[in-house]
Amino acid sequence: MPKVKKEKQTRQHNAIAKQGILFNKDFGQHILKNPLVIQSMVDKSALRSTDTVLEIGPGTGNMTVKLLEKVKKVIACEIDTRLVAELQKRVMGTPFQPKLQIIIGDVIKAELPFFNVCVANIPYQISSPLVFKLLLHRPHFRCAILMFQREFAYRLVAKPGDKLYCRLSINTQLLARVEIIMKVGKNNFRPPPKVESNVVRIEPRNPPPPINYREWDGLTRIAFVRKNKTLSAVFKQTSVSTLLEKNYLKSCSLTNTTVPQDFDIKQKIDEVLTTCNASEKRARNMDIDDFLLLLHTFNKEGIHFL
């Protein structure tokens, strides 16, 4: 007779365990339980009484209630309908009820309404897409106070030459000022995650840099695929030169520009890299100004990264 598998035990949050709600690890549910950390995040967001705040993953509402005490309105995005019900019950019949709007669903797929500030302990698996969804959101918000996995936070603030410096670092810093404001140990959550965490403050640059962000993203995507190689070696790859040649021909077609009979995309790339003194540079050591110069020079020659 086959063995009956023992049901895996799951740690439960005391406040809702009696109601039979288990945290769903697929949604990255780790409830921030330390009231001092919650209060500190709220304080560092410098909220105003007229603010509309976006909270992502409110869970059981520990932070939501603190936010509602200070602002005009809180928009809470929650994917788990069980926790939505708990949150609604928590504010029902209180002065907070009319100030709370709940968006049910995946925040990455949702169309975000206007907000002034974002304060959230987010599911860590959506960290990267969420950062850029927020930074590309219009109109601009004032700032975001977000909890991230510690290594991810270090990547956000990494500088050229740092071990963790990557495409995430430069793309984020192009669009915002970023700083780590707090370290948070895993025991401040229930259930505790496997990693330590940091709270990060993100302030969008307003106005944003006057460039096509999709072009910028295309360039950094190519450069950071092999961030330790020279740009000359990176751009010599057949896949890269083929893509840029296709884009160049498309651009010529759209602008009714005649393509020279002796056109050679690899020669054109070499000319651009030489003009920028970038042939021997490596992405790991390049700053925002280096990439802006490179992008401008490529575009000036009719080579695009869209």
Side-chain angles (χ1 to χ4, degrees), residues 236-251:
K236 279 181 181 176
Q237 295 176 93
T238 303
S239 59
V240 175
S241 58
T242 301
L243 172 66
L244 296 187
E245 182 174 28
K246 178 183 175 183
N247 290 350
Y248 176 79
L249 296 176
K250 180 181 178 181
S251 175

PDB file of all heavy atoms in Angstrom, residues 236-251:
ATOM      1  N   LYS A 236      30.374  43.582 -32.623  1.00  0.00           N
ATOM      2  CA  LYS A 236      30.801  42.758 -33.758  1.00  0.00           C
ATOM      3  C   LYS A 236      29.990  41.473 -33.872  1.00  0.00           C
ATOM      4  O   LYS A 236      30.087  40.758 -34.878  1.00  0.00           O
ATOM      5  CB  LYS A 236      32.286  42.415 -33.626  1.00  0.00           C
ATOM      6  CG  LYS A 236      33.211  43.531 -34.098  1.00  0.00           C
ATOM      7  CD  LYS A 236      34.672  43.141 -33.964  1.00  0.00           C
ATOM      8  CE  LYS A 236      35.575  44.277 -34.428  1.00  0.00           C
ATOM      9  NZ  LYS A 236      37.012  43.953 -34.227  1.00  0.00           N
ATOM     10  N   GLN A 237      29.196  41.169 -32.852  1.00  0.00           N
ATOM     11  CA  GLN A 237      28.388  39.960 -32.911  1.00  0.00           C
ATOM     12  C   GLN A 237      27.407  40.050 -34.084  1.00  0.00           C
ATOM     13  O   GLN A 237      26.795  41.093 -34.323  1.00  0.00           O
ATOM     14  CB  GLN A 237      27.613  39.781 -31.607  1.00  0.00           C
ATOM     15  CG  GLN A 237      28.501  39.549 -30.390  1.00  0.00           C
ATOM     16  CD  GLN A 237      27.687  39.472 -29.118  1.00  0.00           C
ATOM     17  OE1 GLN A 237      27.297  38.386 -28.691  1.00  0.00           O
ATOM     18  NE2 GLN A 237      27.416  40.608 -28.501  1.00  0.00           N
ATOM     19  N   THR A 238      27.265  38.944 -34.796  1.00  0.00           N
ATOM     20  CA  THR A 238      26.413  38.929 -35.990  1.00  0.00           C
ATOM     21  C   THR A 238      24.979  39.319 -35.674  1.00  0.00           C
ATOM     22  O   THR A 238      24.340  40.071 -36.426  1.00  0.00           O
ATOM     23  CB  THR A 238      26.433  37.525 -36.633  1.00  0.00           C
ATOM     24  OG1 THR A 238      27.788  37.178 -36.948  1.00  0.00           O
ATOM     25  CG2 THR A 238      25.600  37.502 -37.908  1.00  0.00           C
ATOM     26  N   SER A 239      24.468  38.826 -34.549  1.00  0.00           N
ATOM     27  CA  SER A 239      23.082  39.131 -34.195  1.00  0.00           C
ATOM     28  C   SER A 239      22.874  40.632 -33.987  1.00  0.00           C
ATOM     29  O   SER A 239      21.835  41.195 -34.351  1.00  0.00           O
ATOM     30  CB  SER A 239      22.683  38.372 -32.927  1.00  0.00           C
ATOM     31  OG  SER A 239      23.536  38.721 -31.842  1.00  0.00           O
ATOM     32  N   VAL A 240      23.881  41.304 -33.413  1.00  0.00           N
ATOM     33  CA  VAL A 240      23.785  42.742 -33.156  1.00  0.00           C
ATOM     34  C   VAL A 240      23.872  43.532 -34.466  1.00  0.00           C
ATOM     35  O   VAL A 240      23.043  44.407 -34.737  1.00  0.00           O
ATOM     36  CB  VAL A 240      24.886  43.200 -32.180  1.00  0.00           C
ATOM     37  CG1 VAL A 240      24.859  44.729 -32.023  1.00  0.00           C
ATOM     38  CG2 VAL A 240      24.710  42.531 -30.826  1.00  0.00           C
ATOM     39  N   SER A 241      24.877  43.229 -35.277  1.00  0.00           N
ATOM     40  CA  SER A 241      25.040  43.974 -36.532  1.00  0.00           C
ATOM     41  C   SER A 241      23.863  43.751 -37.473  1.00  0.00           C
ATOM     42  O   SER A 241      23.430  44.673 -38.176  1.00  0.00           O
ATOM     43  CB  SER A 241      26.349  43.575 -37.215  1.00  0.00           C
ATOM     44  OG  SER A 241      26.395  42.180 -37.469  1.00  0.00           O
ATOM     45  N   THR A 242      23.302  42.539 -37.471  1.00  0.00           N
ATOM     46  CA  THR A 242      22.130  42.257 -38.316  1.00  0.00           C
ATOM     47  C   THR A 242      20.934  43.084 -37.880  1.00  0.00           C
ATOM     48  O   THR A 242      20.210  43.658 -38.708  1.00  0.00           O
ATOM     49  CB  THR A 242      21.774  40.757 -38.257  1.00  0.00           C
ATOM     50  OG1 THR A 242      22.892  39.989 -38.712  1.00  0.00           O
ATOM     51  CG2 THR A 242      20.558  40.454 -39.119  1.00  0.00           C
ATOM     52  N   LEU A 243      20.721  43.169 -36.563  1.00  0.00           N
ATOM     53  CA  LEU A 243      19.612  43.965 -36.031  1.00  0.00           C
ATOM     54  C   LEU A 243      19.767  45.442 -36.388  1.00  0.00           C
ATOM     55  O   LEU A 243      18.816  46.088 -36.854  1.00  0.00           O
ATOM     56  CB  LEU A 243      19.547  43.807 -34.508  1.00  0.00           C
ATOM     57  CG  LEU A 243      18.559  44.735 -33.780  1.00  0.00           C
ATOM     58  CD1 LEU A 243      17.122  44.401 -34.159  1.00  0.00           C
ATOM     59  CD2 LEU A 243      18.755  44.659 -32.266  1.00  0.00           C
ATOM     60  N   LEU A 244      20.975  45.985 -36.205  1.00  0.00           N
ATOM     61  CA  LEU A 244      21.198  47.400 -36.469  1.00  0.00           C
ATOM     62  C   LEU A 244      21.106  47.719 -37.964  1.00  0.00           C
ATOM     63  O   LEU A 244      20.628  48.796 -38.339  1.00  0.00           O
ATOM     64  CB  LEU A 244      22.554  47.834 -35.909  1.00  0.00           C
ATOM     65  CG  LEU A 244      22.697  47.732 -34.379  1.00  0.00           C
ATOM     66  CD1 LEU A 244      24.011  48.344 -33.919  1.00  0.00           C
ATOM     67  CD2 LEU A 244      21.532  48.415 -33.674  1.00  0.00           C
ATOM     68  N   GLU A 245      21.541  46.787 -38.803  1.00  0.00           N
ATOM     69  CA  GLU A 245      21.413  47.001 -40.249  1.00  0.00           C
ATOM     70  C   GLU A 245      19.945  47.032 -40.659  1.00  0.00           C
ATOM     71  O   GLU A 245      19.514  47.882 -41.455  1.00  0.00           O
ATOM     72  CB  GLU A 245      22.139  45.897 -41.011  1.00  0.00           C
ATOM     73  CG  GLU A 245      22.075  46.082 -42.533  1.00  0.00           C
ATOM     74  CD  GLU A 245      22.918  45.071 -43.281  1.00  0.00           C
ATOM     75  OE1 GLU A 245      23.105  43.947 -42.743  1.00  0.00           O
ATOM     76  OE2 GLU A 245      23.385  45.382 -44.382  1.00  0.00           O
ATOM     77  N   LYS A 246      19.157  46.132 -40.093  1.00  0.00           N
ATOM     78  CA  LYS A 246      17.722  46.102 -40.378  1.00  0.00           C
ATOM     79  C   LYS A 246      17.066  47.411 -39.959  1.00  0.00           C
ATOM     80  O   LYS A 246      16.242  47.985 -40.698  1.00  0.00           O
ATOM     81  CB  LYS A 246      17.090  44.917 -39.638  1.00  0.00           C
ATOM     82  CG  LYS A 246      15.583  44.801 -39.821  1.00  0.00           C
ATOM     83  CD  LYS A 246      15.040  43.637 -39.001  1.00  0.00           C
ATOM     84  CE  LYS A 246      13.515  43.565 -39.076  1.00  0.00           C
ATOM     85  NZ  LYS A 246      12.965  42.475 -38.228  1.00  0.00           N
ATOM     86  N   ASN A 247      17.438  47.898 -38.775  1.00  0.00           N
ATOM     87  CA  ASN A 247      16.882  49.158 -38.283  1.00  0.00           C
ATOM     88  C   ASN A 247      17.310  50.345 -39.149  1.00  0.00           C
ATOM     89  O   ASN A 247      16.524  51.271 -39.396  1.00  0.00           O
ATOM     90  CB  ASN A 247      17.309  49.402 -36.834  1.00  0.00           C
ATOM     91  CG  ASN A 247      16.647  48.442 -35.859  1.00  0.00           C
ATOM     92  OD1 ASN A 247      15.729  47.718 -36.225  1.00  0.00           O
ATOM     93  ND2 ASN A 247      17.110  48.432 -34.626  1.00  0.00           N
ATOM     94  N   TYR A 248      18.554  50.304 -39.611  1.00  0.00           N
ATOM     95  CA  TYR A 248      19.061  51.392 -40.461  1.00  0.00           C
ATOM     96  C   TYR A 248      18.301  51.440 -41.783  1.00  0.00           C
ATOM     97  O   TYR A 248      17.873  52.508 -42.239  1.00  0.00           O
ATOM     98  CB  TYR A 248      20.554  51.184 -40.711  1.00  0.00           C
ATOM     99  CG  TYR A 248      21.155  52.190 -41.664  1.00  0.00           C
ATOM    100  CD1 TYR A 248      21.494  53.470 -41.227  1.00  0.00           C
ATOM    101  CD2 TYR A 248      21.374  51.873 -43.007  1.00  0.00           C
ATOM    102  CE1 TYR A 248      22.044  54.402 -42.101  1.00  0.00           C
ATOM    103  CE2 TYR A 248      21.911  52.800 -43.888  1.00  0.00           C
ATOM    104  CZ  TYR A 248      22.243  54.061 -43.429  1.00  0.00           C
ATOM    105  OH  TYR A 248      22.770  54.994 -44.300  1.00  0.00           O
ATOM    106  N   LEU A 249      18.118  50.295 -42.408  1.00  0.00           N
ATOM    107  CA  LEU A 249      17.402  50.237 -43.687  1.00  0.00           C
ATOM    108  C   LEU A 249      15.946  50.681 -43.517  1.00  0.00           C
ATOM    109  O   LEU A 249      15.384  51.357 -44.389  1.00  0.00           O
ATOM    110  CB  LEU A 249      17.470  48.822 -44.266  1.00  0.00           C
ATOM    111  CG  LEU A 249      18.875  48.320 -44.649  1.00  0.00           C
ATOM    112  CD1 LEU A 249      18.827  46.871 -45.107  1.00  0.00           C
ATOM    113  CD2 LEU A 249      19.484  49.211 -45.732  1.00  0.00           C
ATOM    114  N   LYS A 250      15.353  50.289 -42.403  1.00  0.00           N
ATOM    115  CA  LYS A 250      13.978  50.704 -42.122  1.00  0.00           C
ATOM    116  C   LYS A 250      13.897  52.221 -41.962  1.00  0.00           C
ATOM    117  O   LYS A 250      12.980  52.882 -42.479  1.00  0.00           O
ATOM    118  CB  LYS A 250      13.471  50.010 -40.847  1.00  0.00           C
ATOM    119  CG  LYS A 250      12.044  50.369 -40.476  1.00  0.00           C
ATOM    120  CD  LYS A 250      11.623  49.649 -39.191  1.00  0.00           C
ATOM    121  CE  LYS A 250      10.208  50.051 -38.783  1.00  0.00           C
ATOM    122  NZ  LYS A 250       9.804  49.371 -37.516  1.00  0.00           N
ATOM    123  N   SER A 251      14.871  52.796 -41.244  1.00  0.00           N
ATOM    124  CA  SER A 251      14.906  54.242 -41.041  1.00  0.00           C
ATOM    125  C   SER A 251      15.071  54.976 -42.362  1.00  0.00           C
ATOM    126  O   SER A 251      14.404  55.989 -42.613  1.00  0.00           O
ATOM    127  CB  SER A 251      16.062  54.601 -40.094  1.00  0.00           C
ATOM    128  OG  SER A 251      16.195  55.991 -39.962  1.00  0.00           O
TER     129      SER A 251
END
